[in-house]
Amino acid sequence: MIKNYLKTSALAAAILFSGNVMAQDSTSSATYLKPFSSGNSFRTWSVGFNGGVLSPVVPFGKNDFTTWKADLGYGGYIKKQIIPAFGIQANFLAGKLKADNSEPLGNGTSLNSPFASYVTKLEYSGSLSGNLSLGNIYWMHRQNVIQPYLTAGAGIMSYTTKLTTTSGEQVDYKPGDNIRELFIPVGAGMKFVLSKGVNLDLGYTMNFVDADNVDGYPNIPQNDKFSFAHIGLEFALGPKSKPQLATYNPVAAMEADYISRNASLREELAAERANNAQRMAEINAEWKKFLNDADKDGVSDHFDKCPDTPAGIQVDGAGCPLQITVNNPVKVIVTEEDKRVVAEAIRNLEFDFGKASIRSTSFESLDRVAGILVNKNFSLQLAGHTDNVGNDASNMKLSKDRAESVKSYLVSKGANPSRISATGFGEGQPIASNKTESGRQQNRRVEFTLY
């Protein structure tokens, strides 16, 4: 049995090696899409066909016959790729399993069995399994993609078994209908991209049967097992312009996208630098005409309207001699009479309660203040104040409104509005106590400052 197993392993290794050579000689190239491309940008369906060595053993466990035989197996699958690293596939497998007792046990003794050999015809086996890609390996500048993968699933197999007794008689194990059993396929392999839509598939699958009936001799209390080492081709379905999702490498795509964006930005930067250099040359040429100043008066000839100004003469912005006019300022004098008129206006100034409207009893004295402003062109500062009755915001607004009301009255009498300022201070600057009515009366005021 060990000899046969070594022969099968050597055959499988030869298949893997030949497939590797085929892949290395291919000239296919990977196609990169932008990262996070939508699923309909890829080919996600594929079909595969394979053939290889079908044997009734796996590398571990015991068997009911001493010597197993390798035979041809064939199968196929349909796969739906969900993400680059994972897909779901429906598998089919058929072939024959053979073994006999032609070789003695390891201790040199013969197996005490009523049967000399068996042949199990695997009519079909159908399973559904998940395919986990361990990575997409890129060689030779992303030529020739290698995909190591693992598979596992569950399925149903249908088979018939014929036994040969030690006396040479052939008997059917469970004559009648085919035997059906559950089995668990677990495998590993590698795929090589031969072209944009074709992959070389090399793999090895161990199948664990949920029974001890496959060899027709339930002797050892252990379920039967069989394996399939295969080589095959996988064909991606869909438009040839789209890459396979199974061979798509997101990391490589992000790198390619980065390289492409970097190259594009470098080109844009180089073009921008060239444009800026050209623009700077134009600006420098334009600037030179502003540097000439023939009469040395500090004004460029480009703007100089008097280009022959004698040296030492002060010039204006147009380069012409500066005309200086000296005006004798008029001194403003506020007389005692003026102060008396203002003080009287302050004493007589009254507003309606809680309002900014001026009572008519205040008009006469305000008229005299307006006359001073008109005749002597004085400036006047008005400052409105209130007591602490009410909230701060309303008092601030009332003081401002009353000062503005006085200003409006004076302007209506001919005073220059640009020489009158009106400000409200609310209750913040009292001149008497707000605890008494007389004090609050004093705090409700508009102050006049003449200057």
Side-chain angles (χ1 to χ4, degrees):
M1 182 177 70
I2 296 176
K3 184 186 297 184
N4 285 336
Y5 182 75
L6 292 176
K7 289 180 180 178
T8 304
S9 299
L11 178 60
I15 293 174
L16 291 173
F17 177 76
S18 64
N20 194 12
V21 171
M22 289 175 62
Q24 291 301 313
D25 289 339
S26 69
T27 58
S28 64
S29 60
T31 301
Y32 296 99
L33 294 176
K34 289 185 177 182
F36 312 110
S37 296
S38 61
N40 57 14
S41 302
F42 302 90
R43 284 189 276 182
T44 59
W45 285 96
S46 62
V47 295
F49 305 95
N50 51 55
V53 178
L54 190 63
S55 56
V57 293
V58 296
F60 54 86
K62 297 180 179 181
N63 300 282
D64 295 320
F65 289 79
T66 63
T67 308
W68 56 270
K69 306 293 183 180
D71 207 299
L72 177 65
Y74 56 92
Y77 59 85
I78 299 176
K79 186 177 72 169
K80 169 64 175 178
Q81 198 71 25
I82 308 301
I83 59 176
F86 182 76
I88 297 176
Q89 63 186 46
N91 307 283
F92 171 81
L93 175 64
K96 290 182 179 181
L97 301 171
K98 299 177 180 180
D100 59 32
N101 290 321
S102 60
E103 294 184 6
L105 295 174
N107 57 10
T109 61
S110 298
L111 183 67
N112 185 18
S113 172
F115 302 107
S117 65
Y118 79 92
V119 176
T120 295
K121 184 179 181 182
L122 189 61
E123 302 289 350
Y124 68 84
S125 68
S127 64
L128 189 66
S129 61
N131 186 300
L132 177 64
S133 298
L134 303 180
N136 288 307
I137 304 172
Y138 287 69
W139 287 355
M140 298 173 60
H141 306 290
R142 295 185 177 82
Q143 304 287 324
N144 308 324
V145 182
I146 299 178
Q147 287 179 276
Y149 66 85
L150 299 174
T151 62
I156 298 177
M157 56 186 292
S158 176
Y159 61 91
T160 59
T161 302
K162 286 186 177 294
L163 295 158
T164 302
T165 65
T166 54
S167 62
E169 181 184 0
Q170 290 190 345
V171 295
D172 290 331
Y173 178 70
K174 293 186 179 181
D177 294 336
N178 294 350
I179 303 170
R180 293 180 177 83
E181 303 285 4
L182 296 174
F183 75 102
I184 304 295
V186 178
M190 288 189 296
K191 291 182 182 179
F192 301 82
V193 174
L194 302 181
S195 67
K196 194 172 182 180
V198 181
N199 305 323
L200 177 68
D201 183 11
L202 306 172
Y204 178 76
T205 305
M206 297 180 294
N207 300 278
F208 300 90
V209 185
D210 187 28
D212 191 17
N213 300 318
V214 175
D215 56 12
Y217 183 42
N219 181 38
I220 300 174
Q222 179 175 298
N223 290 347
D224 289 328
K225 302 166 284 292
F226 65 96
S227 61
F228 181 50
H230 70 268
I231 180 172
L233 294 176
E234 180 182 28
F235 301 92
L237 304 179
K240 295 182 179 180
S241 59
K242 296 182 179 181
Q244 302 179 58
L245 180 59
T247 61
Y248 181 67
N249 189 321
V251 176
M254 293 183 71
E255 180 196 22
D257 185 66
Y258 168 78
I259 293 173
S260 175
R261 288 173 180 267
N262 186 54
S264 177
L265 289 175
R266 287 178 179 272
E267 292 177 0
E268 291 179 7
L269 182 60
E272 186 175 352
R273 285 176 175 172
N275 291 336
N276 290 341
Q278 181 179 357
R279 179 57 182 159
M280 287 302 299
E282 295 173 355
I283 291 175
N284 289 334
E286 185 74 14
W287 175 250
K288 287 181 180 179
K289 68 182 181 181
F290 298 107
L291 300 179
N292 297 326
D293 183 12
D295 56 4
K296 308 300 180 183
D297 60 357
V299 178
S300 170
D301 291 345
H302 184 75
F303 299 107
D304 200 341
K305 294 182 179 179
C306 301
D308 299 322
T309 303
I313 299 298
Q314 291 185 347
V315 297
D316 56 18
C320 295
L322 187 64
Q323 302 294 328
I324 302 176
T325 302
V326 179
N327 295 322
N328 293 322
V330 177
K331 189 174 182 180
V332 177
I333 299 176
V334 180
T335 64
E336 291 299 325
E337 179 59 22
D338 296 333
K339 294 178 181 180
R340 186 192 65 76
V341 171
V342 170
E344 183 181 0
I346 293 174
R347 286 194 305 271
N348 294 334
L349 183 58
E350 293 181 355
F351 297 91
D352 290 336
F353 180 74
K355 298 180 181 179
S357 54
I358 305 172
R359 292 181 177 176
S360 59
T361 55
S362 305
F363 291 163
E364 184 178 351
S365 56
L366 287 176
D367 290 345
R368 287 194 287 271
V369 173
I372 296 175
L373 296 178
V374 172
N375 296 329
K376 296 189 176 182
N377 201 26
F378 284 159
S379 295
L380 180 65
Q381 182 178 9
L382 300 172
H385 301 271
T386 66
D387 57 25
N388 66 349
V389 177
N391 58 56
D392 293 347
S394 61
N395 286 337
M396 181 64 72
K397 182 178 184 304
L398 180 59
S399 64
K400 173 68 174 176
D401 291 345
R402 285 180 171 177
E404 289 288 349
S405 181
V406 173
K407 176 180 177 179
S408 298
Y409 183 85
L410 296 175
V411 170
S412 69
K413 295 300 181 179
N416 187 350
S418 65
R419 289 188 170 274
I420 304 175
S421 63
T423 308
F425 293 96
E427 61 186 63
Q429 297 182 10
I431 59 175
S433 174
N434 280 310
K435 295 181 180 180
T436 63
E437 177 56 34
S438 60
R440 289 192 295 271
Q441 176 65 33
Q442 295 180 57
N443 292 332
R444 296 192 294 267
R445 68 195 189 281
V446 176
E447 296 179 345
F448 293 57
T449 303
L450 196 65
Y451 59 97

